[in-house]
Amino acid sequence: VIVVAVPEGLPMMITLVLSSNMKRMLKNNVLVRKLVGIETAGSLNILFTDKTGTLTKGKLEVIGYVSPTLREFYNENELLRYPKLHQYVKNNILYNNECCFTDGKYIGGNITDRALLQFIQTEKSIKYKKMQEMPFDSKNKFSYVIIDASGKKKYIKGAPEKIIDSCNEYMDEFGIKKPFKEKEKIKNQIKEYTKRGIRVLALSIDEHYTMSEGIKNACFIGFALIKDEVRKEAITGVEMVKDAHIQVVMITGDNKDTAYSIAKETKIITSDNDLILTSSEFSNMTDDEVKKILPNLKVLARALPLDKSRLVKLSQEMNLVVGMTGDGVNDAPALKKADVGFAMGSGTEVSKEASDIVILDDNFLSIAKAILFGRTIFKSIRKFIIVQLSINFCALSLSIIGPFIGIDTPVTVVQMLWINMVMDTLAGLAFAFEPPILEYMKEYPKKKEEPIINRYMASSIIWT
């Protein structure tokens, strides 16, 4: 009777459900590192997601170069007609770059560096010595390199708002430097590009620098137009997650206009009440102010790694179950802090180590599938509890009531153990392989304090 009374099949069944679903999820490009992470994914209230490679294809392409006179060049061959400007642009891209081209392969650097280098179709070999360099940093939003090319020159690339304001002259197509008076015209044109979802990277050169100056009084030489196509399946994934009543917030290093364009296209932003903030606006807000606007927040642009950790912390203080995606070393603290950390398959080993689940194809739709599996698992566990406890109550009731009505052993010991064995193993196996049903994505997420056995389950067990 004691063996039957204790639902000892439950731990076995939970392990079986989690491990079998883990195997199925792997076929859907979702690698589960921590089993509990699957079930928690089904209870998410808010999901913070990256843009590049997750919502977009992550295959950046330089679709053109624009000179300071706003003349567009769609490839390097067009730029070759103006040798002086071409040489400055080429040197900036070749030397101020973490990626290099050797033996027909692009090695090192990030996807932006790689896209810029692919724009150069002429000779890509390094001829000059690098004297000093500062890699790109999300805080500074620019990088520079000093090379010795018949006189020391400082090549700078970075966010337009940083580069343009630091320039006091520009270079026209013929390599002639002129006073830079039409900054607003350039900024307005850049705004038009970013509204179309195009990333803009500005380039400048400084031939009169001193080591301590950083970037100022430089010469503006134009900007590159970089496009990253939105994944069609990401739009489906966002709709699935939003249908599941989970808030989706996009966190990106892009500027406000580009971020808005992508959020609109992926249907993260759908109404006028949806909020979009920049990192500077976000950091100027108090914790209480952030908590007030958090339900309407949809996009955080020009984001810093610290912003992610702060968002996770404040969301958890609001008693929300938080999911976070990331791929860089700087994302690791936020991934670790979140209830479920989703690392990208193409990301760093540090981010994968800090995560619960690895999305092998870097696709947002795979995150939506992980949530669906999480909800299916919770349903399967609840169904098994109904079956197990119904039989346990029946067996116990028979054993207790039987002697009172003159039947000493209504169910023999062997019969009881047989029922118990068949019930635990076969029912456990049956529920372990329950298929995920899309209907589960229409339900509201479970609250943290919600009991495992709800009113429906209790009545079902008692009546059965």
Side-chain angles (χ1 to χ4, degrees):
V1 169
I2 290 167
V3 170
V4 174
V6 177
E8 81 288 347
L10 195 57
M12 177 207 74
M13 185 267 168
I14 290 170
T15 310
L16 201 60
V17 166
L18 292 172
S19 56
S20 66
N21 277 282
M22 179 182 173
K23 210 172 178 183
R24 277 192 286 174
M25 287 170 80
L26 195 55
K27 290 175 185 173
N28 287 285
N29 298 305
V30 180
L31 173 65
V32 180
R33 291 187 66 254
K34 295 170 188 170
L35 283 176
V36 183
I38 317 174
E39 193 267 311
T40 313
S43 305
L44 289 181
N45 300 112
I46 189 165
L47 176 63
F48 298 107
T49 177
D50 278 339
K51 176 189 78 74
T52 306
T54 309
L55 295 169
T56 60
K57 291 177 181 175
K59 292 176 183 173
L60 299 187
E61 182 191 357
V62 177
I63 58 169
Y65 189 83
V66 183
S67 72
T69 58
L70 297 180
R71 186 167 186 164
E72 293 182 352
F73 301 92
Y74 296 104
N75 52 55
E76 193 196 7
N77 288 335
E78 291 182 15
L79 199 56
L80 278 168
R81 285 180 288 181
Y82 303 95
K84 254 192 168 179
L85 180 64
H86 169 259
Q87 195 56 52
Y88 281 118
V89 172
K90 183 178 175 178
N91 282 351
N92 201 326
I93 289 172
L94 279 183
Y95 292 93
N96 192 3
N97 202 314
E98 296 290 308
C99 180
C100 61
F101 184 75
T102 50
D103 301 326
K105 291 179 184 175
Y106 294 93
I107 298 163
N110 57 29
I111 51 176
T112 306
D113 284 340
R114 202 165 292 190
L116 284 167
L117 204 53
Q118 284 169 349
F119 180 72
I120 302 297
Q121 295 299 310
T122 53
E123 180 59 41
K124 299 182 190 184
S125 59
I126 302 289
K127 294 175 184 173
Y128 307 113
K129 185 184 175 186
K130 290 185 183 183
M131 311 294 291
Q132 185 187 338
E133 61 182 314
M134 188 191 83
F136 183 84
D137 184 272
S138 56
K139 192 177 180 182
N140 296 324
K141 294 188 176 69
F142 70 88
S143 66
Y144 70 75
V145 65
I146 298 167
I147 65 168
D148 194 359
S150 60
K152 290 177 185 174
K153 292 179 173 66
K154 187 178 196 175
Y155 288 101
I156 307 143
K157 79 168 193 278
E161 62 266 28
K162 282 275 183 183
I163 304 297
I164 291 170
D165 290 334
S166 70
C167 296
N168 62 354
E169 54 185 6
Y170 74 88
M171 185 182 288
D172 69 9
E173 287 87 350
F174 303 99
I176 300 164
K177 292 180 182 178
K178 296 177 181 178
F180 197 8
K181 292 175 181 175
E182 296 187 342
K183 290 185 181 182
E184 287 308 311
K185 189 180 176 183
I186 298 281
K187 285 178 181 176
N188 289 336
Q189 186 59 45
I190 286 172
K191 215 167 192 178
E192 290 303 312
Y193 286 122
T194 54
K195 279 177 182 173
R196 284 156 46 192
I198 297 169
R199 275 180 65 191
V200 173
L201 199 66
L203 308 182
S204 68
I205 180 170
D206 191 352
E207 296 177 280
H208 314 289
Y209 68 92
T210 60
M211 290 295 187
S212 59
E213 273 182 348
I215 54 163
K216 59 182 179 181
N217 302 326
C219 178
F220 183 60
I221 59 171
F223 52 91
L225 305 175
I226 303 169
K227 183 74 176 167
D228 189 9
E229 295 292 326
V230 168
R231 290 178 187 258
K232 285 187 171 63
E233 58 270 34
I235 299 168
T236 310
V238 169
E239 283 182 345
M240 270 178 75
V241 173
K242 286 177 83 174
D243 283 347
H245 306 282
I246 298 168
Q247 183 183 345
V248 181
V249 181
M250 184 178 88
I251 301 174
T252 176
D254 288 344
N255 73 18
K256 207 170 182 176
D257 291 325
T258 308
Y260 177 80
S261 172
I262 299 294
K264 194 99 172 151
E265 198 175 338
T266 51
K267 296 183 181 173
I268 290 172
I269 288 179
T270 50
S271 77
D272 295 334
N273 295 327
D274 294 338
L275 269 179
I276 174 166
L277 292 178
T278 60
S279 179
S280 54
E281 290 168 344
F282 176 68
S283 56
N284 288 332
M285 296 173 82
T286 64
D287 287 356
D288 288 334
E289 284 172 337
V290 173
K291 285 177 184 176
K292 277 179 189 172
I293 60 104
L294 191 61
N296 293 323
L297 182 65
K298 299 295 177 184
V299 178
L300 185 64
R302 288 284 186 233
L304 301 173
L306 285 171
D307 296 336
K308 289 188 174 186
S309 296
R310 188 183 175 206
L311 275 169
V312 171
K313 178 175 147 283
L314 295 177
S315 301
Q316 287 175 332
E317 283 175 11
M318 292 173 73
N319 208 29
L320 300 173
V321 181
V322 184
M324 170 62 76
T325 72
D327 56 5
V329 174
N330 293 332
D331 297 331
L335 288 169
K336 194 80 179 165
K337 198 178 280 186
D339 296 294
V340 186
F342 298 96
M344 297 299 123
S346 62
T348 59
E349 291 305 312
V350 176
S351 63
K352 290 177 193 174
E353 197 63 37
S355 68
D356 303 291
I357 293 170
V358 180
I359 306 299
L360 299 174
D361 60 351
D362 296 5
N363 195 340
F364 191 87
L365 186 59
S366 298
I367 298 173
K369 287 176 184 174
I371 293 166
L372 173 58
F373 273 100
R375 292 192 170 190
T376 304
I377 285 163
F378 191 70
K379 291 273 185 187
S380 298
I381 292 167
R382 277 185 157 176
K383 287 174 186 175
F384 180 79
I385 289 170
I386 292 172
V387 171
Q388 175 132 49
L389 293 187
S390 297
I391 297 171
N392 285 16
F393 276 122
C394 285
L396 282 172
S397 303
L398 278 172
S399 302
I400 293 163
I401 296 164
F404 284 100
I405 56 171
I407 306 164
D408 289 338
T409 51
V411 184
T412 66
V413 173
V414 176
Q415 284 173 332
M416 264 200 183
L417 293 174
W418 174 250
I419 291 165
N420 202 41
M421 280 168 63
V422 171
M423 173 193 71
D424 282 356
T425 49
L426 297 185
L429 281 167
F431 288 118
F433 294 97
E434 280 274 278
I437 301 165
L438 276 171
E439 281 175 27
Y440 299 155
M441 290 297 271
K442 303 285 182 189
E443 296 176 10
Y444 281 87
K446 305 285 179 286
K447 291 178 183 173
K448 278 185 177 180
E449 61 275 7
E450 185 171 326
I452 298 286
I453 299 175
N454 58 19
R455 193 178 294 173
Y456 163 76
M457 289 172 71
S459 63
S460 180
I461 290 162
I462 291 161
W463 283 108
T464 305

